[in-house]
Amino acid sequence: MGRSRRTLPEELLLLALDPATGTTAQPQSLDLGLAGAQLVELALAGRIAPDGDRIAVVVPRPTGDPTLDCALELLRRRGAPVRAVNWIGGPRLGLRQTYLSHLERCGMVHAVAGQMCGVLPTTRYQATDTAISREIRSRLDSAIRTGVPPDPRTAALAALAHAVGLGKHLYPGNEGRSSRSRLRDLIRHDPMGGLVAHAVMDVQNGVAAQPRRSPAPAGRPASAGVRSAPEPARGVPMQPRRGSMARAVVH
């Protein structure tokens, strides 16, 4: 995979980065979204494919992206297809910081050191090229405004943005309500993005232990519709407590 294209985890992180504060919106659910975005990116690269509610490795060849290839190798070692909800709900220590550091090395953000309560060291991140963030945002805005089915990458980005609760960050207030609703509806335009987004919401809702219900037999009612992510997303029950780091990072 060439590096001329930004990966989906990078785009999701840039969407979540608040230009005014240098912090990321919805930090706990964002960690889950980044793990899910890796799965979608690997699927777009032809390395994995959905198998029901599970993820199967179909081409184990590395992509050339170290972070994605680490995820691909972990999936390969599982041997059998793994449920998306179990994968996303697993430990993801440092994933957000890994991508922030990568964006800093690429020159897309720069770190600003500070202190919390005058004691704890913190690091905030400011975008260095706002045109990149505007381009990512404009793709979502266009899909919402025009109603034209977006490309799979944009559809998956919209699904993940909805799943992690970025709707109110991107389209705040009552005036943004219809845009948030259309953002949610874009989830149906990419099967892999939809699978991963629902898995992210399942983990947030604490239902990762239960397998997804199979379709109801004929003659019996089945639930319909698209589930909504909490607005704003609440804590993530299954996310492990993060260990201490040399310095506190954006949250």
Side-chain angles (χ1 to χ4, degrees):
M1 177 186 296
R3 297 300 298 137
S4 59
R5 180 192 290 274
R6 293 179 301 273
T7 65
L8 201 57
E10 294 163 6
E11 292 193 329
L12 182 65
L13 187 52
L14 287 170
L15 266 185
L17 193 63
D18 190 314
T21 66
T23 61
T24 51
Q26 306 300 104
Q28 289 181 300
S29 54
L30 180 61
D31 290 341
L32 301 176
L34 290 173
Q38 287 186 314
L39 293 180
V40 179
E41 189 66 46
L42 287 170
L44 289 170
R47 301 311 196 265
I48 65 175
D51 182 5
D53 66 348
R54 296 175 182 268
I55 303 298
V57 175
V58 292
V59 177
R61 185 177 69 251
T63 66
D65 181 296
T67 310
L68 288 176
D69 288 341
C70 179
L72 180 62
E73 176 61 15
L74 290 174
L75 285 167
R76 187 193 66 79
R77 290 179 184 176
R78 293 290 187 95
V82 59
R83 291 182 64 212
V85 71
N86 290 342
W87 173 262
I88 291 170
R92 292 290 175 267
L93 185 63
L95 186 59
R96 183 166 23 119
Q97 183 59 42
T98 296
Y99 275 108
L100 282 169
S101 298
H102 171 73
L103 290 176
E104 184 181 16
R105 289 193 300 272
C106 292
M108 285 189 273
V109 302
H110 72 275
V112 180
Q115 287 185 330
M116 182 184 298
C117 302
V119 179
L120 297 175
T122 63
T123 304
R124 299 176 184 273
Y125 292 85
Q126 300 288 344
T128 55
D129 188 348
T130 56
I132 294 176
S133 297
R134 287 198 302 269
E135 184 273 328
I136 297 170
R137 174 68 180 270
S138 70
R139 282 163 42 210
L140 287 186
D141 290 344
S142 178
I144 288 173
R145 183 178 63 255
T146 65
V148 176
D151 62 274
R153 180 174 295 274
T154 301
L157 181 62
L160 287 163
H162 166 70
V164 303
L166 289 183
K168 282 194 173 181
H169 168 71
L170 299 170
Y171 307 103
N174 288 332
E175 65 274 16
R177 183 174 299 174
S178 61
S179 293
R180 294 195 298 271
S181 177
R182 288 193 289 271
L183 179 71
R184 177 199 63 207
D185 292 341
L186 290 175
I187 201 171
R188 71 182 186 273
H189 289 293
D190 180 59
M192 185 65 180
L195 168 66
V196 169
H198 282 131
V200 169
M201 290 185 281
D202 281 348
V203 174
Q204 292 180 82
N205 293 328
V207 297
Q210 293 101 25
R212 185 181 298 278
R213 290 182 179 179
S214 57
R220 292 182 59 185
S223 58
V226 178
R227 283 169 288 175
S228 297
E231 287 191 27
R234 304 298 179 189
V236 184
M238 297 188 65
Q239 190 75 354
R241 186 174 182 178
R242 304 206 180 278
S244 59
M245 298 180 68
R247 59 180 182 177
V249 298
V250 60
H251 63 289

